[in-house]
Amino acid sequence: MDLEDFNSAPEADIRATLLACCDVRSWSDAVLAGRPYADASDALRVAGTAALEFTPDDVDRALAAHPRIGERAAGASTEAAWSRKEQAGVATDARTQAELVAGNRAYEDRFDRVFLINAAGLDAKTVLAQLHRRLENTPEAEAAEVAAELRGIALRRLARVLELEDELAERRS
């Protein structure tokens, strides 16, 4: 979808797209309220600012839409397709898969939530290293880190919607 379509599509359609990017109603409301955007960078800027306001409840709600790292999202939804694409680099052999399962279990036992990482472009080794590092976080530090990861995923997905994913990846590098 290009910016013109994003600006002119019915609100219900864009809301559904935004909630597929990140299932946080206040975030989608803020992005919708900014329409029409002069350019896609403006939309990403508004989305980024709105994502800074994620509450713990927002993060918990959004996490419910994310599969465990290393697991392939099932279904034909937009979110599932994006998740499969984002985790494509986390291809694993049986040993690495077992390490991911054990790491996910340890993370969930420690933090009572699914491990979330902006996995696009990351390999399994990198994901595992980040998972093990984050297991050492305090609950407060981890809450901040998971919110930052969620913001990154939301912005990457919105950039994909606005056909800017390559530009966003360059900025992140």
Side-chain angles (χ1 to χ4, degrees):
M1 149 183 322
D2 63 17
L3 183 65
E4 183 178 332
D5 293 335
F6 186 82
N7 282 333
S8 64
E11 182 175 311
D13 294 348
I14 297 304
R15 181 176 307 284
T17 298
L18 290 169
L19 290 174
C21 293
C22 183
D23 193 7
V24 174
R25 179 80 182 208
S26 59
W27 179 79
S28 69
D29 288 346
V31 177
L32 278 167
R35 291 190 318 162
Y37 291 100
D39 59 48
S41 294
D42 287 343
L44 286 174
R45 192 170 20 266
V46 167
T49 299
L52 291 172
E53 302 300 320
F54 288 160
T55 68
D57 286 343
D58 291 337
V59 171
D60 288 343
R61 177 182 170 90
L63 286 178
H66 288 271
R68 287 178 181 87
I69 195 74
E71 292 181 1
R72 296 293 183 227
S77 70
T78 300
E79 301 97 319
W82 284 344
S83 180
R84 287 189 296 269
K85 181 178 179 181
E86 291 158 358
Q87 288 198 40
V90 189
T92 61
D93 54 35
R95 179 175 173 229
T96 307
Q97 184 62 33
E99 289 179 43
L100 283 170
V101 168
N104 281 326
R105 187 172 27 252
Y107 183 92
E108 290 172 23
D109 288 346
R110 174 145 167 71
F111 296 111
D112 198 31
R113 65 166 55 109
V114 70
F115 173 70
L116 183 74
I117 188 167
N118 190 351
L122 301 180
D123 61 22
K125 224 175 155 177
T126 303
V127 168
L128 275 169
Q130 290 299 309
L131 192 157
H132 291 298
R133 179 191 62 77
R134 286 174 52 190
L135 279 167
E136 301 300 318
N137 281 348
T138 64
E140 296 77 19
E142 184 55 22
E145 193 156 349
V146 76
E149 292 291 328
L150 183 60
R151 282 191 293 276
I153 292 167
L155 293 178
R156 177 178 292 282
R157 288 178 174 183
L158 181 57
R160 182 179 301 136
V161 166
L162 296 172
E163 301 174 352
L164 291 175
E165 188 172 22
D166 293 337
E167 180 182 320
L168 183 64
E170 287 174 19
R171 279 195 240 162
R172 194 174 166 208
S173 302

